[in-house]
Amino acid sequence: MSKVNIGVIGLGGVGGFYGGLLAHHFEDEEQVDIHFVARGAHGEQIKRHGLTVQSKDRVIVAKPARVVENVQDLGEMNFILLCTKEYDLDEVIVDLKEIVSKNTVILPLLNGVEAFEKLDRELEAEVWQGCTYMVSRLKEPGVIDNPSGRQKIVFGRTERITPLMLQVNHLLQAAGITSFCTQDIAKEVWEKYILVSSSAVATTFYNCSFGVVMRDHTATIRTLVTEASAVAQAKGVHLTEDIVEVIMERLAAIPFDSTTSMHSDFTSNKVQTELEVMAGYLIREGKRLQTEVQTYQKMYATLKDKQGNYTL
């Protein structure tokens, strides 16, 4: 087997965790090299001391083959794990165009569903759909924390499962990552997106936790879930008939005081948030497909005015 070069772009909670597991496992493996893109204090810390990954009762220090500051410095990779924020995606695509080819595989693990569509449309590379289930964060420069230790990656293409997908799945699992590939990936990705989109919009609009949304604004969150599900079905995604009830049950199971990353970004008055990812995309697709998204439109309009100037 020729050497496999894996690049990890976006060394925050998701990319840092999975990249850390990969780099730690393959550190002494001659046939696999892991390369990080990280800059600033985070990048310097990793270069000097490695990337510390805390996960429940386990702590590892990962030392990648290289740490570079820019995507272009990666050079040609066999496989790229893309874990940036979606609002940085357009800039990253410009950089990726300089280094990818039809032999490059890109697996995006971003919150929305539009990233796959953009990457697949604009890059010559082979792009897979993917999503991840985990709660992890960049605790401080050079340190990633996943308190529960739970993690999972699901990826694939609806057309088929290829031998290359199975090879990558083997590499991920060898590093201790819970992963599997499936042709039902569109359904998997959209089920997660419907949950995170509806909850992000509702918690931010009402400035409250999951529990308060489910207790005091049940009808609204159900309407958001229904509208998002309708857009998915209009796009040809095969969801189950009881998808709204399934998502509502999952939302009800989330700890009462938990909130969403978009809500946290709004309360921190960040100018860049995931509003376009969580609502703007659904509204555009709803209009294009002539599917009702009235509740999303109303709440999006209000939140758009508050972005960067959130009144508590």
Side-chain angles (χ1 to χ4, degrees):
M1 181 179 75
S2 58
K3 176 168 285 191
V4 176
N5 286 290
I6 300 176
V8 184
I9 303 174
L11 266 290
V14 174
F17 181 80
Y18 290 127
L21 291 186
L22 286 165
H24 179 70
H25 179 77
F26 292 111
E27 182 178 350
D28 298 320
E29 172 60 62
E30 294 182 359
Q31 297 301 321
V32 181
D33 277 347
I34 311 300
H35 311 261
F36 289 172
V37 178
R39 56 175 64 97
H42 191 37
E44 285 302 314
Q45 184 71 13
I46 297 171
K47 287 178 184 178
R48 294 178 182 178
H49 305 290
L51 177 64
T52 299
V53 178
Q54 303 170 345
S55 179
K56 202 174 181 179
D57 300 325
R58 185 187 182 206
V59 178
I60 62 172
V61 178
K63 296 181 179 179
R66 285 189 305 153
V67 181
V68 299
E69 292 189 359
N70 302 299
V71 172
Q72 301 95 317
D73 296 333
L74 277 177
E76 188 172 347
M77 295 284 106
N78 302 102
F79 179 68
I80 292 175
L81 196 62
L82 184 59
C83 307
T84 60
K85 291 289 188 180
E86 191 147 347
Y87 46 68
D88 293 326
L89 185 61
D90 290 339
E91 182 180 341
V92 173
I93 286 176
V94 173
D95 295 336
L96 284 171
K97 286 180 177 179
E98 298 189 23
I99 64 169
V100 302
S101 70
K102 62 182 180 181
N103 297 318
T104 310
V105 172
I106 300 176
L107 175 58
L109 296 178
L110 285 71
N111 268 336
V113 296
E114 189 177 14
F116 163 74
E117 297 174 2
K118 279 187 176 182
L119 291 162
D120 199 38
R121 182 175 62 246
E122 298 188 29
L123 295 179
E124 189 181 357
E126 180 176 345
V127 183
W128 299 342
Q129 277 186 283
C131 64
T132 182
Y133 300 89
M134 64 168 340
V135 177
S136 185
R137 66 189 178 103
L138 173 60
K139 187 175 182 180
E140 60 186 76
V143 180
I144 302 296
D145 185 31
N146 176 0
S148 73
R150 292 191 293 271
Q151 43 90 1
K152 180 172 72 171
I153 293 177
V154 186
F155 69 94
R157 291 277 306 210
T158 56
E159 299 88 348
R160 64 192 179 281
I161 298 300
T162 66
L164 184 56
M165 290 177 186
L166 296 175
Q167 179 189 358
V168 169
N169 195 46
H170 175 74
L171 293 174
L172 294 173
Q173 291 179 349
I177 296 169
T178 303
S179 69
F180 67 92
C181 48
T182 174
Q183 284 184 259
D184 287 332
I185 188 61
K187 174 178 176 291
E188 189 83 28
V189 168
W190 268 92
E191 284 186 0
K192 178 186 177 183
Y193 179 57
I194 292 166
L195 185 149
V196 298
S197 167
S198 58
S199 58
V201 171
T203 54
T204 309
F205 184 85
Y206 292 114
N207 188 24
C208 65
S209 69
F210 275 95
V212 174
V213 164
M214 297 303 293
R215 184 191 67 198
D216 298 344
H217 309 286
T218 310
T220 301
I221 189 75
R222 180 180 292 275
T223 301
L224 290 171
V225 170
T226 301
E227 290 181 358
S229 300
V231 171
Q233 289 163 336
K235 288 175 69 68
V237 180
H238 300 295
L239 301 174
T240 58
E241 291 183 1
D242 63 344
I243 186 60
V244 173
E245 294 308 319
V246 168
I247 299 299
M248 291 296 289
E249 288 178 6
R250 291 178 184 176
L251 287 167
I254 295 171
F256 189 94
D257 292 328
S258 300
T259 191
T260 61
S261 59
M262 190 174 94
H263 180 212
S264 297
D265 286 346
F266 264 78
T267 57
S268 298
N269 286 320
K270 291 186 178 180
V271 176
Q272 283 189 314
T273 73
E274 293 183 306
L275 181 60
E276 291 301 323
V277 176
M278 299 301 178
Y281 169 76
L282 270 172
I283 292 168
R284 293 191 296 273
E285 287 296 276
K287 289 180 178 179
R288 182 178 70 84
L289 298 165
Q290 297 182 320
T291 303
E292 177 63 57
V293 286
Q294 186 176 3
T295 306
Y296 266 99
Q297 287 175 304
K298 289 180 179 178
M299 298 175 86
Y300 170 87
T302 298
L303 292 173
K304 187 73 171 175
D305 289 339
K306 291 185 176 182
Q307 191 168 243
N309 187 27
Y310 194 63
T311 303
L312 298 180

